[in-house]
Amino acid sequence: MDGGSTPIPPFAEEALAVLQDRIDDSSGIEEQSALKALEAEGFSTVDAREALEVLEMRGYLYRVENQLRITDKWLC
């Protein structure tokens, strides 16, 4: 690998953009709050859960205790 970003599907990119607006550098967001935020933006519950899973599996999100956080290198 060349060290570049790991591509994600468009729906996961949209979810990441929503979450970036709600997660600051010093704290995370609880998974339920993240799901509610995504659902408020039009994601179905299933799609919201899948987006969180994809983002975590691809290294865009990580967990600290019960909080989801955005990996530093993906913050805009």
Side-chain angles (χ1 to χ4, degrees), residues 1-63:
M1 288 186 70
D2 62 4
S5 64
T6 304
I8 56 176
F11 77 94
E13 287 181 19
E14 292 172 24
L16 183 60
V18 169
L19 296 174
Q20 284 177 323
D21 290 341
R22 290 170 174 77
I23 300 174
D24 65 42
D25 293 343
S26 63
S27 67
I29 188 172
E30 290 186 4
E31 184 173 0
Q32 286 300 322
S33 296
L35 289 169
K36 286 180 184 179
L38 293 172
E39 290 168 356
E41 293 295 321
F43 285 79
S44 70
T45 302
V46 171
D47 288 344
R49 287 186 189 283
E50 185 168 348
L52 292 180
E53 183 178 329
V54 167
L55 291 170
E56 190 173 4
M57 288 175 47
R58 302 271 179 98
Y60 290 77
L61 294 179
Y62 66 101
R63 293 178 188 268

